[in-house]
């Protein structure tokens, strides 16, 4: 059945040779680089029996696998189902949301294993990986999924792969500066993942500004069932966020504490989101956009401080505030950003990740600056902030200052990186769709004829069968 | 686009000030109470290093976090995705099902941390929380989700929050009576969660009886895809139920045994449900309502006994029976309850939670009464029933008697509590919808225009665009 | 509302007495056999306290439950949500996909606990079960879910139960031959689960060949939202596959390594699948069938070798190749198999399980043959391949030979078993639907009237209301 193709006329979105070429070349590069550099870490290597003896471990349960694997799987679900389905809210972009997220994340984790490996797990010329590397690779890709939210529906899969390549690289550099040079704590990634990822994505979408985007306005909304699909993403992000924030914390109390703080923050966030969603709408009705997104701000906003002694009530306060800020953002800031600053933010990542990420960085700095040996215990204090070696003399207030510096560095990296990458993505060679074909799966996907469409078709013989 | 609003005329469902007020006031109250009372338990506190030394623990893996966190996350999924999506089967109440469940559970877990904390984790003026408290809070909220099933589609979000406040309180009192005063075992909550939650909800819905509910009969059914959304809820409840029943059992064999018994019971339950679903329908076809619900009865019915030496074949028997009882309930009891007793039970919680909960309590009492030192071993016997301290002399048959008393207490608390709370919810100030607007998201939610609706609208110009 | 029933005229699909009879009789048989044979293993038995002392274990965390339970739950999700939802892609067979998968798996795990128990956990006349048995039962049922994929939409629930009974039996025999007689390693089941399951299913569907199946061609496609439901299945299989391949590996490094290898293989597989999906389609568009299925081939193809020292780059290579083979299979082999060999493979299991399963077996044989003490360490080498007792003198190259023999045995068992079982299922007593009613839930399920259908109905008064 032949149908007229608007996009075919306006822009060349033909992917047949470009997309396979990029995918295959990059996968070959991954294989070569993995072949040269990546090996199993001691706890995943068959020599582990000897290692165990050397480290005086009496049981296999001491393998880091058992400390972190359940959290890893939860994080994995957040990246692929959480982000993927969260973005299926658009009525005709579900395939792109979940499918392109799948593609970029699958590529991104391979590249992240290398980039982060060179910075953090490089020994004698080899990158030695274990479950913690898998988690960190997922984290790194999380920042790309966030940026994807800003440009959702407006880019080709090749653009997404190019963005992933550069963003993972910049993420790893930024992470190295923060964690190693500034000696900053950021286990849940308020700064490294959310602040960086969101402002990076917002800068990219600003540069890719499409003045005629209202031509696809009819496709920018949801339908009833697409909103339910999106809620699957929301809930998995919400439920597993305690695992996200605790996944790479120190063994023992730190992991335990991170999970509790995040649980509390997220619970509070739901209530303030619901309150403001109803309050800011004339008819007092709840808006699914807020429920799908702003309820998660509480997880972002304790990303840095969750493993610290934030306390459960501190978490409730942070969660409450971030829910309010995020909901207000959806109602007032997003339209403002689009009309005045020409930032077209499809999923509202400014409200879900950027602002809560900044809150998270600031709360982390304050919590660190307020730390005392009394609250943490002598040993706990040193362990919580790694005040050992050259950092032995660092005081909480200095640590707070460095934490704040980490926010600034992340912002600068995001703006500068986003500007460069946005410029690259603006080149007319990547096959993105024309404005009137944005938010439409039909451009890059084989889309089945729907029953509804059949009905539609039946009664409108001169209209195309598929929207 | 202006559309006539039936509910606006009939009843005031305007939420703009009431819902935000309730949410915000309660969240502030939570923050204050958490500030005064809630602190980290020893295993989540930064002083853990010292604690570890005192307790002679050699490894961080001994932290309770590693014994229970994977189960906690499974339980968390059951509460938010399991219950939330199970109730999306209605054709136009998916937002309310998953969204209100989200709201009440997020509030409920905070209040439950306090209520259960005062009863069980109170030391020197502080509630000390850890992962087990998070699980118990989720459990407590589970009983509210169950009650929500009875009144699904007929109440305002404020009513749900009010009900949650009271039900969590009563749940905690009942739980205290059972676990502490009667020294009853109920790790999977057949009595405390299911029997109490279900009869509480049934009493509430009885009091909120709506004589004209047939006015919204057309919306009480499902559509094809809403039934598939509901199956997501069903399967997550079914798959993770072994975690539910084992989450707070003693470390070691008890957790292991609970998971196995629950796995067996649920497997058997699926077969008898399918058998009776087909048998009780004239055309011999399977009914999705049964598959979505009765298949879960096997998890409810071993809630008390799963951690005991029920044995795998005992589990199969219990699961088989509960599947039959539950399916028969959907076919015969639910219509009877509605027409004769005026109990309008939207999700059929009488079949999924009430009757199987009673079975679970009884099976628990029998299994406890039948316990012998031979079957459990001398130490295992004492450990399984905590026959220590003042309970040192309790015999299995006495324990069985107390278990039975636990059922009765749970029932009485449910009826009395449900009657009082139902009376409160009947006050005409909570903004519930008129009978003809029940089971309709449009009352409390911004609902997108659907493609189907567009079609609908197109051919029915004098009808409202959205159903 | 009376509607004409095509299937009623053509074939007797009435299930009312047959299906309940089979379900109930078999469940009674399970109860009896469990009663005679199945008991708790030492780690789930209340005597565990004594056992612990005997085994010199100092902590409950040494219970196998804590090593394997998180992986078990992931595998459980793969079987019920993963396989169940993966098959919901058909526009009108979602209930059958997820519901019949639920039924056959719930029965299958009971029968598998017995069959595998007799072969592997039989002591003093009793089958002693623990969490590893639950995982193995799920694995065994996985092979039935795979075979179900080939005959999806064309069989009655009774046929599926009959097939499950026989296939679980044959699976256990084949598994016993491979693991115990040939002493082959196959932790992720490339041979025992995928190769066996897929060729078994393909043989069955060949024998059940329906020459007139094009009569239901209109129902063999997807609709927009059914493709999204299927992606839920895909992603859960993809995300949890590292747990699948590592679930029953040795404690410690082997589990850790399996997870890493599988993670890498699957990531690579996504890129090559996307590349070939676009490349093999004239318009260069991506095909959801490939994304839903071929992206998983990487998990299948490292099933045998994941726990070996395959290395991360080895995994990338295997994953890349299997993604290509699988996608090419969907485009070229599936039509060929149907038109020339009369193998009607609804889900394309030949591409997702059969070919990648063979690759997995071969890669396993090569990896085993290439093993050296240098790579594994002296102890690690012996542990990895269990070269103890009578196998003390086995060399890697001999092991590789036995691994290869395992592939051949699995294939022979699949062809022979599939032929016999296919013959049994061809008997005209099982109530399967006529060709024109295949892929249609209405035959065995109460299907709700859809809104779309209402619209449809409204404008087509002389057509049946439900498609």
């Amino acid at each position: 059945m032949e149908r007229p193709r608007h996009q075919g006329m306006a822009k060349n979105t033909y992917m047949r040779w470009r997309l396979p070429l990029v995918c295959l070349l990059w996968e070959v590069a991954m294989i070569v680089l993995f072949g040269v550099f990546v090996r199993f870490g001691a706890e995943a290597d068959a020599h582990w029996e000897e290692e165990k003896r050397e480290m005086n471990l009496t049981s296999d349960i001491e393998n880091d696998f058992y400390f972190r694997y359940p959290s890893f799987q939860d994080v994995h679900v957040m990246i692929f189902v959480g982000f993927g389905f969260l973005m299926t809210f658009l009525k005709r972009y579900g395939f792109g949301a979940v499918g392109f997220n799948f593609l970029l994340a699958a590529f991104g984790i391979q590249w992240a294993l290398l980039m982060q490996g060179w910075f953090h797990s490089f020994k004698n010329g080899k990158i030695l990986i274990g479950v913690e590397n898998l988690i960190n690779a997922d984290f790194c890709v999380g920042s790309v999924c966030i940026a994807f939210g800003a440009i959702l529906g407006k880019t080709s899969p090749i653009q997404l792969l190019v963005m992933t390549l550069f963003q993972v690289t910049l993420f790893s550099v930024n992470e190295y500066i923060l964690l190693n040079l500034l000696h900053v704590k950021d286990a849940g990634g308020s700064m490294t993942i959310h602040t960086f990822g969101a402002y990076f994505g917002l800068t990219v979408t600003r540069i890719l500004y499409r003045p005629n985007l209202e031509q696809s306005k009819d496709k920018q909304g949801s339908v009833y069932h697409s909103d339910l699909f999106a809620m699957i993403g929301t809930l998995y992000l919400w439920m597993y966020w305690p695992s996200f924030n605790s996944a790479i914390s120190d063994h023992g109390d730190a992991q335990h504490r991170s999970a509790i703080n995040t649980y509390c923050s997220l619970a509070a966030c739901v209530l303030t989101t619901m309150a403001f969603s109803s309050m800011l709408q004339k008819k007092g009705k709840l808006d699914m956009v807020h429920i799908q997104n702003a309820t998660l701000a509480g997880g972002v906003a304790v990303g840095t401080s969750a493993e610290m002694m934030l306390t459960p009530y501190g978490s409730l306060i942070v969660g409450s505030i971030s829910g309010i800020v995020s909901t207000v953002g959806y109602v007032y800031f997003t339209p403002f950003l689009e009309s005045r600053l020409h930032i077209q933010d499809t999923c509202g990542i400014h409200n879900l990740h950027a602002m809560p990420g900044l809150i998270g960085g600031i709360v982390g700095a304050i919590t660190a600056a307020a730390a005392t040996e009394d609250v943490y215990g002598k040993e706990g204090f040193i362990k919580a902030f790694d005040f050992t070696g050259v950092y032995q003399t660092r005081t909480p207030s200095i640590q707070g200052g460095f934490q704040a510096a980490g926010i600034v560095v992340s912002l600068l990296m995001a703006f500068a990186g986003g500007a460069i990458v946005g410029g690259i993505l603006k080149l007319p060679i990547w096959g993105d769709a024309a404005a009137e074909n944005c938010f439409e799966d039909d451009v890059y996907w084989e889309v089945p004829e729907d029953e509804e469409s059949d009905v539609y078709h039946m009664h409108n013989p001169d209209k195309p069968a598929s929207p």
Side-chain angles (χ1 to χ4, degrees), chain A residues 240-405:
Chain A
Y240 285 163
W241 216 295
S243 298
F244 192 93
N245 284 347
S246 67
I248 58 161
S249 289
D250 285 342
H251 293 172
D253 58 296
Q255 279 198 291
H256 202 150
R257 190 162 59 243
S258 299
I260 295 172
N261 278 328
T262 310
Y263 177 95
C264 290
S265 176
L266 285 164
C269 188
V270 175
L271 267 83
T272 56
T273 296
M274 294 269 184
F276 274 74
S277 180
S278 171
M279 200 196 294
L280 299 179
Q281 211 260 5
K282 262 189 235 165
K283 294 174 193 153
K285 294 187 183 183
L286 296 164
D287 189 328
M288 278 304 263
V289 172
H290 308 155
I291 312 311
Q292 282 158 7
N293 291 281
T295 50
L296 301 168
V300 177
V302 296
T304 304
S305 55
E307 63 173 4
M308 303 178 190
M309 288 293 281
L310 178 60
T311 74
Y313 71 88
S315 303
L316 293 188
I317 295 171
V318 175
S320 300
I321 292 170
S322 59
I324 294 169
V325 168
S326 187
T327 310
V328 169
Y330 275 98
V331 178
Y332 298 114
F333 296 176
T334 298
F336 173 85
L337 288 180
E338 177 151 4
S339 60
R340 297 301 175 86
L341 302 183
H342 287 181
I343 295 173
Q344 293 159 327
D345 179 5
T346 310
C347 295
I349 64 165
H350 185 256
N351 314 305
L352 171 48
H353 298 282
M355 291 190 296
L358 288 177
I359 294 174
I362 295 165
V363 170
I366 295 170
T367 314
T372 64
E373 281 198 11
D374 190 44
V375 169
Y376 286 78
K378 204 175 171 66
E379 283 167 279
F381 180 72
I382 293 166
K383 196 178 160 199
F385 297 98
D386 278 326
F387 285 161
T388 55
V390 292
Y391 303 104
Q392 213 168 341
T393 55
R394 203 182 258 193
T395 63
S397 53
I398 293 176
Q399 177 70 23
F402 276 100
Q403 295 280 143

Side-chain angles (χ1 to χ4, degrees), chain A residues 81-102:
Chain A
V81 161
F83 282 111
F85 272 89
L86 181 60
M87 296 190 277
T88 57
F89 72 100
L90 290 170
K91 66 177 79 163
R92 295 299 293 182
Y93 207 70
F95 292 6
V98 81
F100 291 155
N101 185 70
F102 195 15

Side-chain angles (χ1 to χ4, degrees), chain A residues 93-379:
Chain A
Y93 207 70
F95 292 6
V98 81
F100 291 155
N101 185 70
F102 195 15
L103 172 62
L104 73 84
F107 165 62
I109 54 179
Q110 297 177 60
W111 180 229
L113 279 176
L114 287 164
M115 279 303 303
Q116 295 179 315
W118 282 316
F119 279 122
H120 301 288
S121 311
F122 201 62
K123 270 182 203 168
N124 303 324
K126 298 291 174 203
I127 296 166
L128 302 179
I129 65 173
V131 65
E132 197 172 334
N133 298 71
L134 306 189
I135 297 170
N136 275 313
D138 273 27
F139 277 4
C140 176
V141 159
S143 86
V144 186
C145 300
I146 291 166
F148 178 33
I151 54 176
L152 183 75
K154 299 175 292 185
T155 45
S156 76
I158 300 180
Q159 281 177 306
L160 296 173
L161 285 171
V162 171
M163 185 178 83
T164 305
L165 179 73
F166 286 106
Q167 195 180 345
V168 166
T169 311
L170 291 164
F171 175 98
S172 306
V173 173
N174 185 52
E175 187 188 42
Y176 178 75
I177 297 172
L178 264 68
L179 303 189
N180 295 51
L181 304 186
L182 302 179
H183 195 68
V184 148
K185 302 295 285 183
D186 193 22
S190 292
M191 294 178 279
T192 54
I193 302 168
H194 299 287
T195 301
F196 171 78
Y199 285 104
F200 182 95
L202 291 167
T203 310
V204 167
T205 198
R206 172 64 192 80
I207 289 176
L208 298 181
Y209 176 64
R210 288 169 175 272
N212 303 316
L213 201 58
E214 80 284 355
Q215 290 178 8
S216 53
K217 208 75 192 175
D218 59 311
K219 283 173 240 150
Q220 283 192 59
S222 60
V223 290
Y224 195 68
H225 280 171
S226 74
D227 269 327
L228 282 176
F229 278 115
M231 277 306 288
I232 297 174
T234 299
L235 288 175
Y236 273 98
L237 287 168
W238 192 90
M239 296 179 303
Y240 285 163
W241 216 295
S243 298
F244 192 93
N245 284 347
S246 67
I248 58 161
S249 289
D250 285 342
H251 293 172
D253 58 296
Q255 279 198 291
H256 202 150
R257 190 162 59 243
S258 299
I260 295 172
N261 278 328
T262 310
Y263 177 95
C264 290
S265 176
L266 285 164
C269 188
V270 175
L271 267 83
T272 56
T273 296
M274 294 269 184
F276 274 74
S277 180
S278 171
M279 200 196 294
L280 299 179
Q281 211 260 5
K282 262 189 235 165
K283 294 174 193 153
K285 294 187 183 183
L286 296 164
D287 189 328
M288 278 304 263
V289 172
H290 308 155
I291 312 311
Q292 282 158 7
N293 291 281
T295 50
L296 301 168
V300 177
V302 296
T304 304
S305 55
E307 63 173 4
M308 303 178 190
M309 288 293 281
L310 178 60
T311 74
Y313 71 88
S315 303
L316 293 188
I317 295 171
V318 175
S320 300
I321 292 170
S322 59
I324 294 169
V325 168
S326 187
T327 310
V328 169
Y330 275 98
V331 178
Y332 298 114
F333 296 176
T334 298
F336 173 85
L337 288 180
E338 177 151 4
S339 60
R340 297 301 175 86
L341 302 183
H342 287 181
I343 295 173
Q344 293 159 327
D345 179 5
T346 310
C347 295
I349 64 165
H350 185 256
N351 314 305
L352 171 48
H353 298 282
M355 291 190 296
L358 288 177
I359 294 174
I362 295 165
V363 170
I366 295 170
T367 314
T372 64
E373 281 198 11
D374 190 44
V375 169
Y376 286 78
K378 204 175 171 66
E379 283 167 279

